[in-house]
Structures are given as structure tokens and as C-alpha cells.
């Protein structure tokens, strides 16, 4: 989606502060310069003052994001008008929570005339910024891809690579090769021409340093099949995501959904604070694409109105057409909105990736097998979120259309305290080669280097011991830049020229 908030300082020490999950071996301050470098590399559009005040994030004095914020969607403006300053309570006896609609940092280039009320000059040094591509023109297809390249994607980084970098495509790494002394010597990979065929050739690539960067599930799978980094017994364990709970409503006025990025603002008040000791914290994305995520709108609404949605209660062909169809769509689609609650999930060793020789892919490699469930802590967070969404809908004067029911299309269904819930995945996998202070309890050190293998790095969200409530890619990129510095030092040390000279008489 391109949403890139920073983690909050307290997210790095959830076990010490709140008694769940795991702590990082480093803190926000250690990562802060790398956050800035990552924001520059991705071209993040945001407002540091608003993040400071609205999300409680510390930024260095005078810090400005490389790009001005993406203009707020019309929906955000309507919600801000009705919600800013309102108070909600998760429990009748709970503390006041003051709502504030906060613009979300997004790696996309805004239009030339941002619809901001308080104009700000471009940041110092703007002329020296990288080429971030085209401006966001509001096509509203950020997932899966931005047609005008306004949103960051890795091709933008690849375009800056030196000619000394070789990219081998149509290549699937099948295992990491060991050197016999605890070090690794490269990778074995399968090269194919036709993705529809299992035919391939097996090749190797030798290296002084190997960096696995295939994301949380595949990094863990490669370590498991290569029988590497095994001493802590933690490879594949602690699998986390941001479980999502969706609440969808119908406003009493048009709110202009399905235009611009999928979310340009959020409600940040539930990300931090002592309530975390009791329930999972959450961030609320204001979903700008109507009910597309929860119900498949607008396609599902068109099908329903045409009478071709497979609803057994309605005889086929008894739909509306022509002017009536257009009027019905116009009346309802423009009033849809969704609140997307993203929960922190603590590291738990039972949630894990394993491999099983009886499950193989087309190339013959073992597939990953996932074991995954939600803790009581997360379920209590979802119950709190449901109470919050009910209050928000009332404050907005919106109709709450949320329905959670079991069924084949709801694998995330569960009951808690007599209420139904359905959660979704966010695609934010992490934790599977967890970082820590000891080789006995973690897979990688604070540089994402495997404790057991000094020249093998496993980088990405899989290293994160906790994920807070922020979408993870910015933190992952900051960590990658930090590890890059370490890898550079390793390689320089390895290739440092030795001075060979004759020993002088009487000198050692
Ligand atoms: C729908 C969706 C929306 C998201 N939105 C956001 C968002 O708004 N903000 C955010 O911060 N994050 C978001 N995420 C998460 C984000 O996509 C990931 O955090 C990020 O892509 C991880 O980057 P990565 O480079 O580690 O892994 P990936 O982007 O997954 O890249 C890994 C690469 O490794 C390759 N690979 C895998 N296995 C092998 C192998 N054996 N051999 C060779 N190559 C291999 C893959 O083909 C892939 O190219 C979203 C995810 C999804 C699914
Ligand atoms: S709204 Fe459109 S132009 Fe803007 S980032 Fe998303 S896909 Fe790209």
C-alpha cells in the first residue's frame, strides 16, 4: 500500500515494559539515523510535526521528510471534521482517549499543489534528492502496482546500481552452501527458462558474505532446508503479522472513496500506553477504497444489483439495469468507508514456519508449512477495537454495516466472549529469524548476522523481535541500511591489504 510510519520507541521494549513478546537488542535512538536514510531512499512524503504531535514520535529538531505530505483524501477531511477532539473509552471505566486524524507518511510524490492548509517550503537540500519518479495522480491502484511509478518499488533502487552488480533472474535459491568451519561459501540455485515447466539447471554462486533477503517465510525456509543457524532452535519460530480487523460503514453524505491512495490518514491514539499490558495495541487506517477489502466492492455491489451475485435468496436475473443501476450505485458507493484496525502481535514460539518433505513445489523444493494463531492478548485488543469502532460510527452518524460470520471465505473467524470476529492477514510477516542479545535464544545478532555463521546474514522483517503497529517496511529498510554498513566493514576487513616486509635485526 505504501504506508510507512516509524515504530514508536516503546515498541522496541514490549517485554520489559508490558510483559509480552520480545525486546530488541537495540532501541529507537540506534535506528533513528537509519530511519532518516530509509525515508530519503524511499522518497517518503510526510509531515514530521504532525507525526510528532499526533503519533508521539520523536524526530530530531528541524527534521523534514524528503517530500511534502500526500494531500488528505476527502474522506479524511470529513472524518477529521467530525472526529477531531472527540473522546472515546474502550471500557466504561477506562481512560479517555482523544481522537485525532493524522496524515500517514507514504512513499509517493504528491501533486504540485498540495491541499495543505499550512504551506511549507521544500526541505533544505531538496535539489539533491534522488529521482523519485512521477507524481501521484490518484489512480487508486497502489495495491498491487502504481501505473505511473509514483509509489516506491525496488526497480527505482535497482536503477541506481553500479554496473558491477549482476542480477540473475529466473533463479530460485534452493540452499545455502557451507564451508565446513561454521562459515558459508555461497548458494545453490535453480535456473529456469519456462515458469510453467519444472525443467531447470542447478548452479552455484560463491561468495565471501551471503545475505538472505527473501522475506520472513522464505528466509526461514532456506535456513531450515540448509540445516543452518540451528543452535537456538528458533529458526522459523515467532512468526508474526499485523492481524487486521475491518469495520465498514455507510456515511450520511458522499465521502468520495475509490480515488487516490488506499489510505492517507490514520487514528494513532491506541498505538501506545499502559493499556498494552492488557490488550494488543492497534493503529486505525482510514480506508479510502470504500468496502473493497471487506466485501469486494464495487464489483460485488454491481453484481448484487444486477442479480448475478449468487445470492440464493434472489432469483437470477431479477436485478436492476440502466438508469436505476446507475442511481443505486451512485447513492451508496460514494458513502462507503472502512476502518482498518492493524494489531501488534507479540512473538510466540508456537507460531512458526516448518518444512515437510511431503509438500514440494514444482522445482522439487520443500514448501513452507505454517502454524499460526492469535493470542488472548490480540483477541482482547480486537474486542477493544470493536468497542472503539462502534463509538466512532456513532460519532460520525454512520451506519455500521460490519458483519462477522463463519464460512469458507472467513478462515480468520473466531468467537471471543460470546462475540464473532473475523481477522485478515496484512502480508507483514516477521520474526522467523529473530534478533536478540544471545545465541541461545535468538537466530541473528543486532546486525542481522547469524550467530552461528559469521558470514551469513538473514535480513528483513524476519529479524524483528516485535513489530509495533506500524507497517514494517520502513523499519526493515532502516535495519537493512544499518546492516549494510556492517557488511561493508566485514568485507573491508576481509580484503584489507596485508603489509609484508622483512624483519629488521633486533626488532620483533
Ligand atoms: C498487499 C500488501 C500490502 C502491503 N502494504 C504495505 C505497506 O503499506 N507498508 C509496509 O510497510 N509494508 C507493506 N506490506 C509489506 C511489504 O510488502 C513487505 O514488508 C516487504 O515487501 C518486504 O520486503 P522484502 O524485500 O524483505 O521481501 P519481498 O518484497 O517479499 O522480496 C523478497 C524477494 O525475494 C525473492 N525470493 C524469495 N525466495 C527466493 C528464493 N528462494 N530464491 C530467489 N529469490 C527468492 C522474491 O521473489 C522477492 O522478489 C504489504 C504487503 C502486502 C502483501
Ligand atoms: S493513488 Fe495512484 S498514482 Fe497515487 S500511488 Fe496509488 S496508484 Fe500511484
Amino acid at each position: 500500500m505504501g504506508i510507512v510510519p516509524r515504530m514508536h520507541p516503546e515498541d522496541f521494549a514490549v517485554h520489559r515494559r508490558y510483559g509480552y513478546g520480545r525486546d530488541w537488542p537495540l532501541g529507537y535512538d540506534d535506528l533513528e539515523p537509519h530511519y532518516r536514510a530509509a525515508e530519503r531512499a524511499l522518497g517518503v512524503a510526510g509531515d514530521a510535526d504532525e507525526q510528532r504531535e499526533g503519533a508521539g514520535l520523536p524526530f530530531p529538531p528541524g527534521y523534514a521528510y524528503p517530500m511534502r505530505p500526500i494531500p488528505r483524501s476527502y474522506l479524511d477531511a470529513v472524518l477529521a471534521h467530525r472526529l477531531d477532539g472527540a473522546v472515546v473509552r474502550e471500557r466504561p471505566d477506562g481512560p479517555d482517549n482523544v481522537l485525532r486524524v493524522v496524515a500517514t507518511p507514504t512513499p509517493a510524490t504528491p501533486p504540485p499543489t498540495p491541499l495543505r492548509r499550512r504551506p511549507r517550503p521544500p526541505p533544505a537540500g531538496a535539489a539533491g534528492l534522488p529521482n523519485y519518479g512521477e507524481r501521484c495522480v490518484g489512480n487508486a491502484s497502489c495495491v498491487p502496482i502504481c501505473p505511473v511509478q509514483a509509489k516506491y518499488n525496488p526497480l527505482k533502487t535497482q536503477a541506481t546500481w553500479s554496473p558491477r552488480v549482476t542480477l540473475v533472474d529466473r533463479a530460485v535459491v534452493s540452499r545455502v552452501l557451507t564451508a565446513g568451519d561454521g562459515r558459508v561459501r555461497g548458494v545453490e540455485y535453480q535456473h529456469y527458462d519456462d515458469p510453467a515447466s519444472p525443467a531447470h539447471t542447478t548452479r552455484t554462486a560463491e561468495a565471501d558474505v551471503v545475505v538472505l533477503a527473501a522475506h520472513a517465510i522464505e528466509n526461514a525456509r532456506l535456513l531450515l532446508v540448509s540445516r543452518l543457524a540451528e543452535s537456538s532452535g528458533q529458526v522459523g519460530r515467532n512468526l508474526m503479522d499485523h492481524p487486521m480487523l475491518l469495520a465498514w460503514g455507510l456515511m450520511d453524505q458522499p465521502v468520495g472513496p475509490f480515488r487516490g491512495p488506499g489510505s492517507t490518514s490514520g487514528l494513532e491514539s491506541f498505538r501506545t500506553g499502559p493499556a498494552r499490558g492488557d490488550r494488543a495495541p492497534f493503529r486505525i487506517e482510514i480506508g479510502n477504497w470504500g468496502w473493497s477489502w471487506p466485501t469486494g466492492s464495487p464489483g460485488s455491489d454491481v453484481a448484487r444489483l444486477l442479480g448475478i451475485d449468487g445470492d440464493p435468496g434472489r432469483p437470477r436475473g431479477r436485478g436492476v439495469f440502466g438508469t436505476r443501476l446507475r442511481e443505486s450505485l451512485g447513492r451508496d458507493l460514494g458513502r462507503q468507508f472502512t476502518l482498518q484496525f492493524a494489531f501488534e502481535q507479540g512473538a510466540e514460539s508456537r507460531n512458526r514456519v516448518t518444512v515437510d518433505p511431503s509438500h514440494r513445489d514444482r522445482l522439487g523444493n520443500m514448501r513452507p508449512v505454517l502454524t499460526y494463531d492469535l493470542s488472548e492478548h490480540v483477541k482482547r485488543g480486537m474486542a477493544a477495537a470493536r468497542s472503539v469502532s462502534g463509538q466512532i460510527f456513532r460519532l460520525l452518524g454512520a451506519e455500521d454495516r460490519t458483519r462477522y460470520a463463519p464460512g469458507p471465505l472467513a478462515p480468520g473467524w473466531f468467537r471471543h466472549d460470546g462475540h464473532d470476529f473475523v481477522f485478515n492477514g496484512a502480508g507483514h510477516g516477521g520474526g522467523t529469524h529473530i534478533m536478540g542479545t544471545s545465541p541461545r535464544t535468538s537466530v541473528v545478532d543486532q546486525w542481522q548476522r547469524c550467530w552461528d555463521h559469521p558470514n551469513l546474514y538473514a535480513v528483513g522483517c524476519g529479524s524483528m523481535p516485535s513489530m509495533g503497529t506500524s507497517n514494517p517496511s520502513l523499519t526493515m529498510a532502516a535495519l537493512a541500511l544499518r546492516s549494510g554498513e556492517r557488511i561493508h566493514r566485514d568485507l573491508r576487513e576481509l580484503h584489507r591489504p596485508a603489509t609484508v616486509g622483512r624483519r629488521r635485526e633486533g626488532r620483533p
Side-chain angles (χ1 to χ4, degrees), residues 17 38 60 65 110 146 179 187 189 202 252 315 356 419 502-503 507:
R17 294 183 68 136
Y65 278 97
C146 172
V187 295
Y189 66 94
T202 301
D252 56 4
D356 179 343
H419 296 284
R502 188 178 300 179
R503 192 195 294 176
R507 293 252 177 107

Side-chain angles (χ1 to χ4, degrees), residues 108 135-142 145-148 150-151 260-261:
R135 295 183 172 113
C136 172
V137 290
N139 288 306
S141 70
C142 324
I145 200 160
C146 172
V148 297
K151 194 183 71 166

Side-chain angles (χ1 to χ4, degrees), residues 234-263:
Q234 294 297 312
V235 174
R237 293 187 183 275
N238 308 300
L239 173 65
M240 294 175 267
D241 190 7
H242 286 128
M244 303 287 303
L245 192 72
L246 308 178
W248 54 107
L250 206 57
M251 283 292 281
D252 56 4
Q253 66 163 87
V255 287
F258 303 104
R259 286 182 291 188
S263 176

